[in-house]
Amino acid sequence: MEKRIQLSTPTMHGEEIEYVNEAFARNWIAPLGFNCDGFEKELSEYLSEDGQSPHALALSSGTAALHLAVKLAGVKRGDIVLCSDMTFSATVNPVVYEGGVPVFVDSERETWNMDPRALEKAFELYPSAKVVMLVHLYGTPAKMDEIIDVCNRHNAVLIEDAAEALSATYKGKKAGLFGKYGALSFNGNKIITTSGGGMLLTRTAAERDKAFFWSTQSREKAPWYQHEEIGYNYRMSNVVAGIGRGQLKHLDEHRALKESIYFRYKNSLKDLPVTMNPYLDCSKPNFWLSCMLIDKSSRVEFMNIYNKLNDANIESRPIWKPMHMQPVFKNNDCIKVEKSFVDEDIFSRGLCLPSDIKMTEEEQSYAIQVVKSCF
Ligand SMILES: *Cc1c(COP(=O)(O)O)cnc(C)c1O
């Protein structure tokens, strides 16, 4: 193929530029401003349930949102934080920014997310742990009832990294609403994008206000610049917030397209020794990335498929390499309940397939044909 088939790239619709134009017309290019306010309000309405809306704070990245969540959760130097092991490093880095010590928790096979049994064991081994950092990988909700039950029994604060999972639901409730704090990302490859950006979700206005304060260099109320705490420059620009407002109108449409991509893979690959990334019946993923897992019985290696796809000008990507396998975290503990790490096994047999919503059916069929040719 001449045109590269990609994993997941931005899809614009035209409304985005109208909000951006308004920012230019009103010369409101600085951070903060009407598009930031509008984006926060519209996103919070999108997420609201039973008349309850989360408090939303638009920030420069999902990582910034996670960092402020870690600060709100009160993580201090030396504190243990129990973290999803199989994830993007952005989930975990903010814990370290605050001097916290990540202890990783292995995945289960039904959603590829944090295993509640391993989390329980982690609390037994680290009874001082008071914060849990949970990711919904690839837009698939974790086993929330069990995770929340374990957190409650140990009086722990749950931070939900829903960066990949905007619009996914578990028992009808949207990802980002389960934790005491939630973080979303609008990075270029996510289901909707602002070019770069993130959103922090809190349950109280006071916590949102505190995070806002930190995100604007912790400037005290005084005519001069007065500082009593260390701050950050984490606000979202009013220009890119406009992109987000336009994108939000198409979020459900993006989700539907992602879902049809997933099921086309599932149906087309059903005769091969592979399965698709699994999810619970009580949840509706946003199908951000379609991933396949090669059966243990097969001798085909994921890097073979990766290379063949690449030769055919098709982008694919290995599964997130577990944090406990990363050199930077070689001294951090990782808790498992199976004989060997479930996530190491998933990493060794999995592959993310192109899930770009602009991919045509013909292009996807071509990618499928290349995958089939590897078996
Ligand atoms: C993208 C992502 C983030 C970070 O978001 P940025 O906006 O890129 O900083 C955090 N966690 C996970 C799981 C992600 O996929």
Side-chain angles (χ1 to χ4, degrees), residues 246-258:
Q247 286 271 285
L248 189 54
K249 300 192 164 152
H250 297 275
L251 172 55
D252 287 331
E253 174 191 330
H254 285 197
R255 193 202 154 276
L257 289 166
K258 293 272 190 193

Side-chain angles (χ1 to χ4, degrees), residues 60-64 66 87-91 135-137 161 163-164 184-187 189-190 196-198 288 320:
S60 53
S61 69
T63 309
L66 287 162
T87 186
F88 181 34
S89 64
T91 309
V135 70
H136 303 291
L137 211 64
D161 178 355
E164 300 179 357
L184 302 170
S185 167
F186 312 108
N187 186 39
N189 61 356
K190 297 291 173 4
W288 174 55
W320 294 123

Side-chain angles (χ1 to χ4, degrees), residues 75-370:
V75 173
K76 297 276 171 325
R77 190 155 297 281
D79 287 356
I80 300 284
V81 176
L82 305 178
C83 301
S84 292
D85 184 43
M86 190 163 69
T87 186
F88 181 34
S89 64
T91 309
V92 181
N93 286 337
V95 170
V96 182
Y97 300 163
E98 288 304 304
V101 179
V103 165
F104 300 113
V105 181
D106 194 15
S107 299
E108 33 80 2
R109 295 190 186 276
E110 285 86 0
T111 76
W112 295 5
N113 291 305
M114 185 188 278
D115 186 335
R117 296 170 307 157
L119 180 63
E120 179 67 52
K121 186 172 168 192
F123 274 114
E124 282 158 24
L125 294 167
Y126 295 93
S128 69
K130 282 285 160 276
V131 178
V132 172
M133 175 65 92
L134 171 87
V135 70
H136 303 291
L137 211 64
Y138 300 124
T140 299
K143 293 186 170 176
M144 289 320 301
D145 282 350
E146 293 88 339
I147 296 277
I148 288 171
D149 177 56
V150 177
C151 288
N152 287 346
R153 276 189 291 104
H154 295 276
N155 252 318
V157 171
L158 177 65
I159 303 176
E160 216 186 332
D161 178 355
E164 300 179 357
L166 177 58
S167 82
T169 61
Y170 173 93
K171 297 192 175 172
K173 183 170 172 154
K174 291 202 172 79
L177 298 180
F178 290 90
K180 186 165 187 199
Y181 310 107
L184 302 170
S185 167
F186 312 108
N187 186 39
N189 61 356
K190 297 291 173 4
I191 191 159
I192 61 168
T193 182
T194 59
S195 167
M199 194 80 79
L200 172 69
L201 305 171
T202 69
R203 308 297 146 233
T204 68
E207 287 169 304
R208 184 206 173 269
D209 291 348
K210 186 73 205 192
F212 172 83
F213 169 78
W214 286 325
S215 76
T216 51
Q217 302 290 19
S218 298
R219 195 181 163 188
E220 300 289 338
K221 283 195 184 70
W224 50 87
Y225 278 77
Q226 174 83 8
H227 302 286
E228 294 170 18
E229 281 184 70
I230 294 297
Y232 304 85
N233 180 5
Y234 276 173
R235 281 320 311 267
M236 182 181 276
S237 120
N238 195 50
V239 177
V240 305
I243 306 177
R245 296 180 79 181
Q247 286 271 285
L248 189 54
K249 300 192 164 152
H250 297 275
L251 172 55
D252 287 331
E253 174 191 330
H254 285 197
R255 193 202 154 276
L257 289 166
K258 293 272 190 193
E259 181 172 7
S260 49
I261 289 170
Y262 177 93
F263 281 102
R264 251 182 262 135
Y265 280 125
K266 196 175 167 88
N267 292 330
S268 311
L269 300 176
K270 65 175 184 293
D271 295 329
L272 297 183
V274 304
T275 49
M276 297 301 293
N277 47 330
Y279 59 92
L280 303 174
D281 284 340
C282 64
S283 76
K284 287 198 169 74
N286 70 4
F287 301 101
W288 174 55
L289 291 186
S290 291
C291 311
M292 66 176 204
L293 187 68
I294 304 165
D295 290 358
K296 265 195 185 128
S297 58
S298 168
R299 278 200 303 275
V300 176
E301 289 186 14
F302 80 83
M303 276 309 290
N304 275 352
I305 304 176
Y306 174 92
N307 287 328
K308 270 224 172 161
L309 285 168
N310 193 46
D311 292 345
N313 209 12
I314 300 167
E315 185 184 14
S316 67
R317 192 163 69 187
I319 302 297
W320 294 123
K321 184 174 180 176
M323 290 299 114
H324 81 268
M325 299 171 78
Q326 303 288 355
V328 69
F329 292 121
K330 64 177 185 299
N331 296 324
N332 294 62
D333 200 2
C334 186
I335 310 305
K336 62 178 184 330
V337 284
E338 305 284 331
K339 279 202 195 70
S340 56
F341 286 104
V342 168
D343 62 8
E344 276 188 28
D345 177 47
I346 295 171
F347 172 66
S348 73
R349 299 189 281 125
L351 192 67
C352 304
L353 298 170
S355 309
D356 196 303
I357 57 174
K358 295 178 296 319
M359 174 171 66
T360 63
E361 281 192 41
E362 291 70 39
E363 288 168 331
Q364 191 179 354
S365 300
Y366 177 59
I368 289 165
Q369 189 193 313
V370 175

